Amino acid sequence: MAQPVNPPRGMRDFLPADKARREHALGIIRSVYRSHGFDEIETPVVEDYARLHAGLGGDNEKLSFSILKRGIRPEALAAAAESGDAEQLADLGLRFDLTVPLTRFFATHRAELPPVFRSIQIAPVWRAERPQKGRYRQFVQADIDIIGEAGLLAEIELITATSQALAALGLAGCVIRVNDRRILFGLLTHCGFAAETHDRALIIIDKLDKIGASGVVDELRAIDSAAADRIGEVLAAVEPALGADGLGTGIPLTREAIAGVLPEGAAADGVANLAALGDALEGGLPAGVSVRFDPTLVRGMGYYTGTIFEVAHPGSGSSVGGGGRYDGMVGRFLGQDVPAVGFSIGFERVVDLLALPESTGPESVALIADADVALADLLELKRALVDRGHRVRLEKRQKNMKTLLARVAQEGFSRVANVRAGVSDPDALEFRDLAE
C-alpha cells in the first residue's frame, strides 16, 4: 500500500489557485509600498549562527533552524555529546525574521545607501514552531523599514503606507493599536516594579489576551505582590475602553484620551510622542482603517525602544501585522546607534482573509484542439493570442468535454474555443464564455 506523501510538518504546497491569490496580494503590497518611496532588497535565507543568536531576535532565537558545519569530524561530535551542546556543531541558521538580516545588510552596505534608507523585504522565514492553524514553520513576511530617521516622520510613513496596503487588499475594519515602550516602563515604575524586573514583567503582561487580567496579576505577584495589584487596577480601568476583542471604539490617539487612562505623571515623554503621532495621522488614513491607543500592547521582542504597533482585524483571531522602533539593533553591528523602525504585515494571516478577484490580469483562454490539427497551426494560434496579451492554455479534445471544461474554468480560464484542422488565424476562432 502506497504511503501518503506530504510536505514536512508546518510547511505547505500551494495549488495554482492558492498561488494566484498569494501573488495577487503580494503584487498589491509591493505596488503600494513602492508608491510610498520604499525600495525592495533581498538578503540570503541563511545568516551566521552567532548573529542569529546575538540577543536581537528575542524568543524567536529559540525557534531558529540551525545548519550543521561542513565536514564535521568524529571528535567534534564527541565533544558536542560530552558537553550536551549540539549547537556547537552549527555555524549557520535559517533566518527566523527579516529584521536581523536587514540590520546586518545595512551595516554591510551603509556606504552605498542613502542617509535615510527605506526598505521593502518580502520573503519566507523559518521557525521551529509547533504547527497549528495559522502558525507554520515556513511563512512569508512582508516588511517595510526606515533606517536613519530618528523623528516621528518614520512612524507616520510606515503607518500610512501599511494602512493603504491593507485598504488596497480590501481588508476593511482594521484597527492599528499603538503604544510606546516608554509608557510601559513608566507604568511599571509607577506601580512599584524595580527596573531589573521590567523585562520579566512585560513578558507576563504580553500574555493578557491568553490568560486575562486576573491571570496576569497572579503571575506578576511572584515578582512584587503590591505592584501587581496596582497593575491590576490599571488594567481594570482601561479594559472597558479597549473592548473585549480589542476592536471596540478603543482609546483615541489624543493627549487627553491617553492621559485619561494612565496614572497621573506616568511616562510623559511617551504620551507626548503618541499624541503627536495621533495629530499627524488625523484624517490621513484610508477608510476602513483606524488607529487607537492600547496601553496593554507589549510586543514580545525586547529590542523595541519606543513606538510599537499591531494590526487587529475582525476576521482574524490573531494580529495581522505589527512592528515598532528598534533604535539599538543596528548599533550592535556598527558600534554606533542608528535609529530604525519597521512594520510587518503578517502575510499568511492576511492572505487567508482575501478572495481572488474574478480578473487579476490578461484574459485567459483555452484552445481545445481536434486530434488532426497540425502542431504548427496550433502553435501559431497560441503565439498570436499571446502576442495580443492573452494567457493561453492548449488542451486536446476529450470524450468527456464537460469534465475538461469544468477543470479549465476552475483553473481560471474564462473563454474557450474549438480548433479544427487547417485553422491558423485566431480571428477565425469562435470563443465562448465558460460561464455560459
Side-chain angles (χ1 to χ4, degrees), residues 165-220:
L166 295 170
L169 289 168
L171 293 180
C174 287
V175 177
I176 301 177
R177 302 158 55 215
V178 181
N179 199 2
D180 192 299
R181 297 283 284 198
R182 291 168 292 185
I183 289 177
L184 290 167
F185 291 133
L187 278 174
L188 292 174
T189 299
H190 178 86
C191 291
F193 287 97
E196 61 269 19
T197 68
H198 284 183
D199 288 342
R200 181 182 169 196
L202 287 182
I203 291 172
I204 296 172
I205 295 172
D206 197 31
K207 301 178 184 178
L208 182 64
D209 60 337
K210 299 180 178 65
I211 63 177
S214 61
V216 165
V217 172
D218 287 343
E219 290 197 21
L220 288 174

Side-chain angles (χ1 to χ4, degrees), residues 7-12 127 129 131-132 135-139:
R9 286 191 69 224
M11 301 181 183
R12 298 167 294 165
R127 295 178 191 169
E129 298 272 13
Q132 54 186 293
R135 191 176 293 275
Y136 308 104
R137 290 179 171 173
Q138 177 179 313
F139 55 96

Side-chain angles (χ1 to χ4, degrees), residues 195-423:
E196 61 269 19
T197 68
H198 284 183
D199 288 342
R200 181 182 169 196
L202 287 182
I203 291 172
I204 296 172
I205 295 172
D206 197 31
K207 301 178 184 178
L208 182 64
D209 60 337
K210 299 180 178 65
I211 63 177
S214 61
V216 165
V217 172
D218 287 343
E219 290 197 21
L220 288 174
R221 286 198 178 103
I223 302 175
D224 187 313
S225 183
D229 289 338
R230 285 193 285 272
I231 282 288
E233 294 171 4
V234 173
L235 294 176
V238 302
E239 188 175 16
L242 293 176
D245 58 0
L247 292 169
T249 55
I251 301 169
L253 208 59
T254 65
R255 184 182 298 273
E256 295 75 15
I258 295 169
V261 297
L262 297 176
E264 187 174 354
D269 52 352
V271 172
N273 179 65
L274 292 188
L277 180 63
D279 289 342
L281 293 173
E282 181 68 29
L285 298 181
V289 181
S290 61
V291 60
R292 292 292 185 268
F293 171 55
D294 183 353
T296 69
L297 178 63
V298 172
R299 297 289 297 168
M301 298 300 199
Y303 53 65
Y304 289 123
T305 58
T307 315
I308 52 176
F309 19 78
E310 242 179 38
V311 183
H313 184 273
S316 176
S318 303
S319 68
V320 296
R325 182 165 284 280
Y326 52 96
D327 286 346
M329 282 186 69
V330 180
R332 297 283 291 272
F333 297 119
L334 287 178
Q336 63 182 90
D337 284 344
V338 178
V341 59
F343 208 146
S344 177
I345 288 179
F347 180 73
E348 305 299 342
R349 290 170 179 167
V350 163
V351 77
D352 286 343
L353 300 172
L354 304 180
L356 187 66
E358 291 185 8
S359 177
T360 60
E363 184 180 41
S364 299
V365 299
L367 302 181
I368 312 298
D370 288 347
D372 57 351
V373 174
L375 293 178
D377 290 343
L378 193 57
L379 292 176
E380 174 59 24
L381 286 170
K382 181 178 182 179
R383 183 200 60 77
L385 290 169
V386 168
D387 287 347
R388 294 182 184 183
H390 297 293
R391 175 177 178 239
V392 184
R393 170 74 60 80
L394 300 179
E395 296 281 354
K396 295 180 180 178
R397 178 174 293 279
Q398 299 177 1
K399 289 183 179 179
N400 190 343
M401 286 298 297
K402 185 176 180 180
T403 299
L404 186 152
L405 295 176
R407 174 173 57 78
V408 296
Q410 185 179 18
E411 292 169 352
F413 291 86
S414 58
R415 303 181 73 203
V416 63
N418 293 325
V419 182
R420 294 182 172 81
V423 176

